Amino acid sequence: MAVIYRQEILQDITFFTSAPKAQFYDKLFLNLDLSEFPEYTAKTGRNGFSKRALLCAFIVMKCECFSCITDLIDYLNNNLIIAHYCGFNIMKPLPSHRTVDRFILELNNDLLKKLMKSQVLKLSKMGIIDTSFIALDSTPVSANTRQNNPKSFAKNKFSKDNQPRSDKDCGLGVHTASNQHNERNFEYYWGYKNHILVDCITGLPIYELTTSDNVSDSTAALDILSQTNSFLSVDECTFLADKGYDVKAIYNTVKELYHGEYVIPLNKRNTKDPKKLASGHPICEAGLAMHKNGKLSDNGRTRQKYCCPLKNSKCASCPCDHKNWNNGKKHRGCTKYVTISDDYRLSIDRECISFKKLYALRTEAERYNSRFKQTGQERLWGHSFNAAQNLNSVAHIALLAVALAAIVTKSNSSYRCLKSVKRIA
């Protein structure tokens, strides 16, 4: 009789997985709507494994912060109740490494974009996600190549002409510790960028886009705003971003097209800060206040021209003996140009208290990027652009699914903290 009881206990899969973790995945997949995600895509032959089950397996991978498929397969084989919640038939062998790898490599990313869009719209209808204050930021994702290995001593491993053989789609980028123009703490790497638009109030993602790392942040910003506005209005929003997005086209688009406001620090781009009087007149190298001498309009901007105060003097000489004073021409002396702040970019008072308080909300994008990296997305194991963008999308879907499950089930833990939700599920 004891042998029979022992055999029944061994056959009960619930004994081999902790109850909170099993309940966590049960609630997670019950509140994840996959009705529009195709379950089988094969038109001929056997169906194979369910595509929805494979997607749920990758969501488990991101929730457990695994960085490779081998860890995921071992985890599912040792926790069959979770594999059952994913949708697999645990009475049969689970998918192999090759099957799981082929799924993420060949999956159409538009399906994942559509799934993430439905999650965002559901949270928006519940009053959780809002576009009143949105922040855009990018995070680097390193490619799986030996040239990113710090112990590799290959020559010219970060040369543009030395494209990694293992990943022909990745680009060469540079990652700095901050956006200061004189920042020297930086490193080169081969990989991709994941651009993410975040709700600054809830800290949840709204839209994401993966590009090669040689694509600038400002180039992707307008496309992200346009794609987001196609399903969730960003009209009258407050757009927050760092110095990397200090581009005139972004200001004009946010103001004129979306009727919103912008909170972006000024990127001086190595320009010199000339000495000026309180009236705004610049001071020349000799220490003299320069005089206005007309305006100049070019390239869509208006600049005030200032000339040497001794320009029309017949007897005076330049105190500093400037090279332009003795140039043999009638109009002598140095000239300077000051851009008149008639555009949106230069009309912002970046020293006021309201600007600084609003810009502090942008740190929510940094916090989300930290949670995104913890899912195992700091370095990829795939070797193609499609695999990179699919893995990035699945990570965002997993974090949204955790937040949605925590909100629907009225969990006491913060829906932004993955570990606490798993702990008290």
Side-chain angles (χ1 to χ4, degrees):
M1 185 64 67
V3 176
I4 296 176
Y5 287 150
R6 185 181 301 171
Q7 184 177 359
E8 291 179 354
I9 291 174
L10 291 175
Q11 290 178 351
D12 191 347
I13 59 177
T14 59
F15 282 100
F16 300 94
T17 304
S18 63
K21 186 166 290 189
Q23 293 176 6
F24 165 75
Y25 286 110
D26 188 20
K27 295 176 182 178
L28 182 70
F29 294 135
L30 284 176
N31 293 282
L32 181 62
D33 186 12
L34 297 177
S35 58
E36 297 185 4
F37 193 85
E39 187 168 9
Y40 298 102
T41 56
K43 297 181 180 180
T44 59
R46 293 182 293 181
N47 290 327
F49 291 96
S50 169
K51 305 300 180 184
R52 296 178 185 175
L54 290 170
L55 175 61
C56 291
F58 273 98
I59 293 177
V60 172
M61 179 182 181
K62 295 307 166 188
C63 290
E64 296 298 327
C65 304
F66 295 145
S67 58
C68 58
I69 295 180
T70 305
D71 295 336
L72 171 64
I73 295 176
D74 292 341
Y75 182 80
L76 293 178
N77 282 302
N78 293 325
N79 299 272
L80 292 178
I81 185 64
I82 296 179
H84 170 70
Y85 289 148
C86 289
F88 293 112
N89 183 3
I90 59 176
M91 303 305 294
K92 296 181 180 180
L94 296 181
S96 63
H97 184 285
R98 176 56 186 159
T99 301
V100 178
D101 182 58
R102 185 172 61 247
F103 167 77
I104 204 66
L105 291 177
E106 300 178 356
L107 180 63
N108 186 356
N109 188 254
D110 292 338
L111 297 174
L112 297 177
K113 286 284 197 303
K114 188 176 181 180
L115 176 58
M116 181 177 175
K117 185 190 304 182
S118 65
Q119 290 178 301
V120 172
L121 289 175
K122 187 173 182 179
L123 288 168
S124 177
K125 291 180 180 178
M126 296 171 63
I128 305 300
I129 285 183
D130 186 48
T131 58
S132 299
F133 299 91
I134 53 178
L136 182 61
D137 198 10
S138 66
T139 183
V141 181
S142 299
N144 187 8
T145 172
R146 67 175 183 175
Q147 282 143 284
N148 284 332
N149 187 351
K151 296 183 179 180
S152 174
F153 299 100
K155 295 182 179 179
N156 301 325
K157 62 180 182 179
F158 292 121
S159 173
K160 293 183 179 180
D161 299 329
N162 190 16
Q163 180 73 26
R165 296 181 181 179
S166 58
D167 194 340
K168 298 296 184 180
D169 300 328
C170 66
L172 179 62
V174 57
H175 178 60
T176 58
S178 68
N179 283 317
Q180 299 296 331
H181 66 272
N182 58 351
E183 178 62 52
R184 296 184 179 181
N185 186 13
F186 64 90
E187 59 181 6
Y188 293 101
Y189 72 99
W190 289 96
Y192 304 90
K193 274 185 182 179
N194 186 245
H195 309 263
I196 182 66
L197 189 68
V198 179
D199 176 14
C200 295
I201 305 302
T202 61
L204 295 177
I206 299 176
Y207 188 83
E208 64 90 20
L209 178 67
T210 300
T211 62
S212 179
D213 204 279
N214 49 17
V215 176
S216 63
D217 294 344
S218 58
T219 303
L222 297 180
D223 186 30
I224 291 175
L225 288 174
S226 176
Q227 293 295 330
T228 304
N229 190 64
S230 64
F231 67 92
L232 186 64
S233 176
V234 296
D235 197 48
E236 298 182 355
C237 68
T238 299
F239 179 77
L240 301 97
D242 57 24
K243 292 182 179 180
Y245 298 89
D246 182 32
V247 179
K248 187 179 294 186
I250 296 179
Y251 293 95
N252 296 339
T253 302
V254 173
K255 187 68 175 181
E256 298 174 359
L257 183 60
Y258 302 119
H259 312 97
E261 301 296 332
Y262 27 74
V263 182
I264 305 174
L266 186 65
N267 188 352
K268 296 183 179 180
R269 297 178 176 87
N270 294 328
T271 56
K272 297 181 180 180
D273 189 10
K275 295 181 180 180
K276 297 181 181 179
L277 296 177
S279 60
H281 289 65
I283 300 175
C284 68
E285 297 180 9
L288 303 177
M290 304 183 71
H291 296 171
K292 289 185 178 180
N293 190 23
K295 296 180 181 180
L296 177 65
S297 297
D298 62 341
N299 298 326
R301 62 179 178 176
T302 302
R303 295 187 296 170
Q304 177 68 55
K305 181 181 178 181
Y306 291 88
C307 67
C308 176
L310 305 176
K311 176 181 178 180
N312 297 324
S313 176
K314 297 181 180 179
C315 301
S317 61
C318 180
C320 68
D321 196 21
H322 196 277
K323 63 179 182 179
N324 291 338
W325 182 259
N326 300 315
N327 56 6
K329 298 181 180 179
K330 180 179 180 181
H331 300 287
R332 299 181 296 176
C334 57
T335 58
K336 291 186 179 182
Y337 296 89
V338 177
T339 303
I340 300 177
S341 58
D342 57 348
D343 58 357
Y344 300 125
R345 177 175 177 265
L346 299 177
S347 64
I348 303 175
D349 184 8
R350 294 176 171 85
E351 299 299 326
C352 64
I353 298 177
S354 60
F355 178 89
K356 295 179 179 179
K357 287 186 175 180
L358 287 175
Y359 187 69
L361 295 175
R362 197 197 67 85
T363 57
E364 200 60 48
E366 301 286 350
R367 295 189 186 99
Y368 180 79
N369 281 335
S370 178
R371 298 197 298 271
F372 170 74
K373 290 181 179 180
Q374 287 179 352
T375 61
Q377 286 301 108
E378 196 163 8
R379 182 171 182 177
L380 300 173
W381 49 264
H383 297 89
S384 67
F385 174 74
N386 194 52
Q389 64 176 350
N390 286 341
L391 288 170
N392 290 336
S393 298
V394 170
H396 296 301
I397 290 172
L399 293 175
L400 280 172
V402 171
L404 183 60
I407 294 170
V408 172
T409 58
K410 298 180 179 180
S411 175
N412 295 327
S413 60
S414 173
Y415 54 80
R416 289 178 289 187
C417 185
L418 175 60
K419 292 184 179 180
S420 63
V421 176
K422 289 166 61 177
R423 191 183 302 115
I424 64 175

